[in-house]
């Protein structure tokens, strides 16, 4: 599927699935019972990025995987719902960005995060990773956490179990080659989860993460609206959803330059989950 067609389909699907995210929030769970979010230790720096494979190595068979993982992932408990909040003392929040990396918008977001010394989570799509591996290397160098957001951003509830596995495994392989480490977090496109996604993610050593505050920047509502949604939704444990790809993200880039210093001045500590051993 061509990227412009994919983006159009995403926009149409998102409009129909918005209610699903709200329903998921009603059943929120706090990530306080697992080792990944219970510890109050400061997150460690990102891993050393490895030499990436040649682009052709991915494009020939984008959804087949590349053999067994270099390091066997630790299997996790299968959840029934994704993590929507993070626990811990103080005014902690997590910033997340979906659908990238994008060569135009992701570097500008990374520049802003670096300016304020903030680390964030980036849930990336495999098809974007292979074209922008240097951006994952930068994320690793600057201590950001990279999560799995599937290869082509499909609606998982419309796929069979084998197709979901291929989307997830191939993306984890691409992340490991570019970032230097297999992802420990997974986010379902559109926030549309099913049992297979929870089971496969746990088998691959990935916890499922959703969000608490949706900026709805994918709708391009205006910079001021995005800023207001983040600032009004700010609270301890909140996970903020924004996008660094999937369309014109100029409003997102401008908005983060406003709401990020506001959160810091308000006493919030913008952090990432600590890496599991």
């Amino acid at each position: 599927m061509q990227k412009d067609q994919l983006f159009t389909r995403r926009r149409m699907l998102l409009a129909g699935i918005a209610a699903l995210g709200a329903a998921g929030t009603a059943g929120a769970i706090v990530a306080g019972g697992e080792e990944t979010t219970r510890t109050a230790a400061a997150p460690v720096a990102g891993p050393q990025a490895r030499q990436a494979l040649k682009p052709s190595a991915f494009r020939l068979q984008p959804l087949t995987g590349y053999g067994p993982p270099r390091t066997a992932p630790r299997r996790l408990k299968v959840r029934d719902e994704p993590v929507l909040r993070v626990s811990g003392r103080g005014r902690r929040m997590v910033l997340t960005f979906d659908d990238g990396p994008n060569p135009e918008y992701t570097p500008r977001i990374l520049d802003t995060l670096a300016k304020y010394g903030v680390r964030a989570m980036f849930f990336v799509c495999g098809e974007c990773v292979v074209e922008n591996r240097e951006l994952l290397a930068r994320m690793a160098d600057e201590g950001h956490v990279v999560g799995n957001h599937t290869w082509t951003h499909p609606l998982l509830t419309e796929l069979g179990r084998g197709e979901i596995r291929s989307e997830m495994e191939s993306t984890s392989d691409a992340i490991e080659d570019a970032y230097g480490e297999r992802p420990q977090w997974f986010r379902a496109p559109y926030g549309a989860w099913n049992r297979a996604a929870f089971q496969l993610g746990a088998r691959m050593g990935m916890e499922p993460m959703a969000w608490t505050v949706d900026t709805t920047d994918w709708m391009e509502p205006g910079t001021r609206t995005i800023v207001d949604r983040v600032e009004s939704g700010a609270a301890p444990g909140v996970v903020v959803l924004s996008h660094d790809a999937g369309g014109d993200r100029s409003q997102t880039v401008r908005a983060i330059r406003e709401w990020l210093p506001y959160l810091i001045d308000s006493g919030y500590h913008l952090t990432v989950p600590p890496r599991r051993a």
Side-chain angles (χ1 to χ4, degrees):
M1 178 182 294
Q2 298 296 320
K3 287 187 178 180
D4 56 346
Q5 294 176 322
L6 179 60
F7 295 153
T8 299
R9 183 169 182 264
R10 290 180 189 176
R11 184 179 293 275
M12 293 174 63
L13 284 169
L14 278 165
I17 297 174
L20 177 62
T25 302
I29 58 176
V30 178
E34 298 296 327
E35 175 186 351
T36 56
T37 51
R38 183 176 56 207
T39 176
V44 298
Q48 182 65 39
R50 289 199 181 101
Q51 180 66 36
L53 294 181
K54 295 180 180 179
S56 60
F58 291 101
R59 292 173 181 150
L60 288 175
Q61 295 179 310
L63 296 180
T64 57
Y66 307 98
R70 294 177 178 85
T71 55
R74 170 190 169 193
R75 291 199 177 193
L76 304 172
K77 176 183 177 181
V78 178
R79 293 183 182 269
D80 295 320
E81 296 177 318
V83 174
L84 297 175
R85 304 179 67 90
V86 294
S87 63
R89 297 179 180 178
R91 295 162 68 85
R92 300 172 68 239
M93 289 177 59
V94 175
L95 310 182
T96 68
F97 298 88
D98 282 10
D99 297 354
N102 176 276
E104 180 176 0
Y105 304 113
T106 304
R108 292 154 70 182
I109 291 173
L110 288 171
D111 288 345
T112 301
L113 295 173
K115 177 180 178 180
Y116 293 98
V118 168
R119 286 180 263 187
M121 301 182 73
F122 288 84
F123 287 90
V124 300
C125 293
E127 65 179 4
C128 296
V129 170
V130 298
E131 297 179 355
N132 302 282
R133 296 185 302 279
E134 73 286 351
L135 290 176
L136 263 73
R138 176 178 175 181
M139 292 172 189
D141 291 341
E142 297 179 3
H144 302 292
V145 171
V146 171
N148 187 319
H149 201 40
T150 73
W151 190 274
T152 61
H153 202 279
L155 188 61
L156 298 184
T157 53
E158 294 182 349
L159 300 184
R161 188 180 182 89
E163 294 174 299
I164 297 174
R165 181 188 297 109
S166 293
E167 287 273 345
M168 296 171 70
E169 283 183 343
S170 295
T171 302
S172 287
D173 290 339
I175 290 172
E176 183 176 18
D177 283 310
Y179 179 73
E181 181 176 285
R182 295 187 79 77
Q184 296 187 345
W185 294 90
F186 172 73
R187 176 173 284 168
Y190 312 108
W193 301 85
N194 59 16
R195 186 61 177 169
F198 288 124
Q199 291 175 337
L200 291 168
R203 182 175 299 175
M204 297 178 197
M206 296 186 292
E207 291 277 24
M209 177 174 281
W211 56 86
T212 322
V213 173
D214 186 353
T215 64
T216 66
D217 58 346
W218 56 272
M219 297 177 65
E220 301 176 29
T223 301
R224 187 70 252 164
T225 298
I226 297 172
V227 172
D228 289 343
R229 283 175 179 155
V230 174
E231 294 182 354
S232 63
V238 158
V239 177
V240 179
L241 169 65
S242 299
H243 296 79
D244 61 331
D248 184 346
R249 298 297 171 241
S250 300
Q251 294 177 4
T252 303
V253 171
R254 291 193 295 269
I256 189 176
R257 292 171 181 167
E258 292 189 38
W259 58 252
L260 183 55
Y262 169 85
L263 293 180
I264 294 173
D265 290 344
S266 299
Y268 285 100
H269 176 51
L270 293 313
T271 185
V272 294
R275 190 189 312 164
R276 297 189 300 274

